[in-house]
């Protein structure tokens, strides 16, 4: 498997990682959870990035408040590709930061409960496992509560 720009960027920054192809390798998600990268559109900020656990739901009101938008939401897929350069399913906080460091990036506070996580490497079916501390140090995101609370989810 050849290295892509995300992997090369991590190497350039001396950040260790492990590459995974989802179709061929199994990851113990109890030990190393998967986080998804959501591309949002805010009424004030435009493109806004949120990193949340794969099995969770983003609270749009919380995300809007944290990103200083009045309204925020999921835009059409063509907007996502146009603003990030990545197709749906391949968005990566690392690659987006590399190309668009001006975009607001938020991580859900759940990330602090883990030493390592899995994020997309910028290609469909390709991911990297990376230290949470390294990822935070690289991107300097806003870290906040971005999720629908479990009590609201069941009502």
């Amino acid at each position: 498997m050849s290295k892509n720009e995300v992997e090369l960027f991590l190497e350039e920054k001396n950040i260790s990682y492990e590459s995974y192809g989802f179709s061929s390798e199994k990851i113990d998600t109890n030990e190393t959870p998967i986080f998804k990268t959501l591309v949002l559109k805010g009424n004030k900020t435009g493109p806004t990035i949120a990193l949340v656990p794969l099995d969770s739901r983003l609270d749009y009101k919380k995300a809007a408040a944290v990103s200083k938008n009045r309204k925020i939401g999921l835009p059409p897929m063509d907007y996502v590709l146009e603003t990030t350069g990545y197709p749906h399913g391949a968005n990566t906080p690392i690659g987006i930061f590399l190309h668009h460091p001006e975009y607001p990036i938020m991580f859900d506070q759940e990330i602090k409960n883990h030493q390592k996580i899995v994020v997309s490497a910028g290609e469909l079916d390709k991911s990297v496992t990376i230290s949470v501390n390294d990822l935070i140090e690289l991107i300097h995101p806003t870290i906040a509560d971005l999720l629908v609370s479990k009590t609201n989810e069941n009502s």
Side-chain angles (χ1 to χ4, degrees):
M1 205 184 310
S2 62
K3 293 180 182 180
N4 68 14
E5 70 174 358
V6 167
E7 294 163 315
L8 294 171
F9 180 60
L10 290 173
E11 287 178 5
E12 177 185 310
K13 297 292 183 183
N14 293 318
I15 296 173
S16 64
Y17 68 91
E18 286 181 59
S19 291
Y20 288 97
F22 270 110
S23 55
S24 61
E25 300 176 55
K26 297 284 185 227
I27 298 171
D28 180 356
T29 56
N30 290 323
E31 187 178 316
T32 311
I34 299 169
F35 275 63
K36 61 187 172 188
T37 305
L38 301 175
V39 178
L40 306 163
K41 184 177 183 182
N43 69 307
K44 293 182 180 176
T45 60
T48 304
I49 311 306
L51 189 70
V52 299
L54 181 63
D55 61 354
S56 64
R57 289 184 35 218
L58 180 74
D59 184 313
Y60 292 101
K61 288 182 181 179
K62 289 178 182 178
V66 169
S67 64
K68 299 179 179 47
N69 283 285
R70 190 174 48 77
K71 285 176 37 180
I72 202 163
L74 291 170
M77 290 303 128
D78 57 339
Y79 177 87
V80 172
L81 181 59
E82 205 174 280
T83 57
T84 67
Y86 296 101
H88 176 67
N91 278 287
T92 167
I94 301 162
I96 294 171
F97 174 77
L98 171 64
H99 293 288
H100 302 284
E102 74 279 10
Y103 288 177
I105 299 180
M106 311 175 284
F107 289 2
D108 180 69
Q109 65 189 7
E110 173 73 20
I111 199 169
K112 293 275 201 163
N113 296 333
H114 307 285
Q115 290 187 347
K116 289 184 174 188
I117 62 167
V118 177
V119 295
S120 173
E123 293 177 21
L124 293 174
D125 297 326
K126 189 171 190 180
S127 296
V128 292
T129 298
I130 186 170
S131 154
V132 167
N133 290 338
D134 287 345
L135 186 60
I136 290 170
E137 184 64 31
L138 176 68
I139 295 177
H140 299 286
T142 299
I143 298 175
D145 177 13
L146 301 175
L147 304 180
V148 171
S149 67
K150 296 291 183 198
T151 54
N152 290 348
E153 211 170 67
N154 297 325
S155 53

